[in-house]
Amino acid sequence: MNNIDNSTTQKEEIEKNEVDNEFINIQTENAENKEKFEIDASILSDKEELEKVMEAIIYVEGNVPISRLRNLFKCENSDIRNHIENINNKYRNSKSAIEILEIGDSVMMTITPSTFGTLSAIYDKKRKKKISKAMLQTLSIIAYKQPLTKAEIDDIRQSDSGYHLRVLMDDGFIAWKGRKDYLDKRQTYGTTDKFLMHFGINTLEDLPKLRELKDLEFNRYE
C-alpha cells in the first residue's frame, strides 16, 4: 500500500514540475518576443511621435521598467526622463487627471493626488485611518530589512505579526517576494511600488527620510 502511495505522490510531483516548467517556458518565450520588438526608425527620429508611442506603451503595460524603455527607444535614462517630463508637462498644461511617475526602476501611469482625493470622496470606498505604532513597526522592519520571513519579523518584534502582515498585504503595502532560499522554503515579505508611491519616495535608498515622520496615514478599504 505504501509503495502505491509513494508512486502516486511521485507521479503527482512529476506532473506538477512539468506544468511549472511549461509555465516558465511560456513566460520566457513571451518575454523574449516582447524584447524582439523594435520601434521603427522614423518614430525614433521624431520626438513628438516617439513620446506618443512611449506614452501608449506606459498606458498599455502599466508598470514599465526604465531599462525596457531604454532598449525600445535606444536612448539613455536621462533621455527617458526628459521625454516623460515632456509628456507630464502636456498633462499639466491641459489640467489632466493623469501623470506618469517614476517608482523605483520603473515608470507607471497614475492619477494625480488631487484627483485621487476627489474620486475617494465620490465613490466613498476609502476612508482615512492612522496606522498604529505596532503596525508601523512591522512595516518599518520589512522596509528596512527586506526580504524577511514571518518568523524573522516575529523574532525582531518579539510578538506575532500575522494580523499586521494580512492587513498590510490587503492594503498593497507589502507582498510576497519569493522563498528564502533553495533549502528554506518559507515565503518572504517585502514592500511594493504602492509603498514607495504612498510615502513619496522613488527608491528604498530614500527610506531614511521616513524616520523623520511622526504621523503616518494610509487608505483602508471599507
Side-chain angles (χ1 to χ4, degrees), residues 55 79 99 124-125 149-150 153 212 216:
E55 179 183 11
D79 298 318
E99 66 178 348
D124 195 28
K125 287 184 177 179
T149 64
K150 178 182 180 298
I153 298 169
E212 302 170 3
L216 298 177

Side-chain angles (χ1 to χ4, degrees), residues 111-187:
I111 58 176
T112 60
S114 59
T115 306
F116 178 81
T118 303
L119 289 179
S120 296
I122 292 175
Y123 294 105
D124 195 28
K125 287 184 177 179
K126 293 189 174 184
R127 57 191 170 90
K128 208 73 167 177
K129 277 192 174 181
K130 290 183 178 180
I131 187 169
S132 69
K133 289 183 178 180
M135 197 172 295
L136 174 59
Q137 180 191 53
T138 301
L139 181 58
S140 298
I141 289 170
I142 296 171
Y144 284 100
K145 297 181 178 294
Q146 61 186 302
L148 291 170
T149 64
K150 178 182 180 298
E152 290 172 327
I153 298 169
D154 291 347
D155 185 57
I156 294 172
R157 294 188 64 246
Q158 292 296 298
S159 177
D160 183 77
S161 303
Y163 172 72
H164 294 170
L165 295 176
R166 288 194 298 273
V167 172
L168 292 171
M169 285 192 72
D170 286 344
D171 287 312
F173 287 98
I174 64 172
W176 285 328
K177 296 298 181 178
R179 305 295 181 182
K180 184 69 176 175
D181 54 45
Y182 179 74
L183 296 176
D184 190 340
K185 302 300 183 182
R186 293 178 299 172
Q187 190 64 252

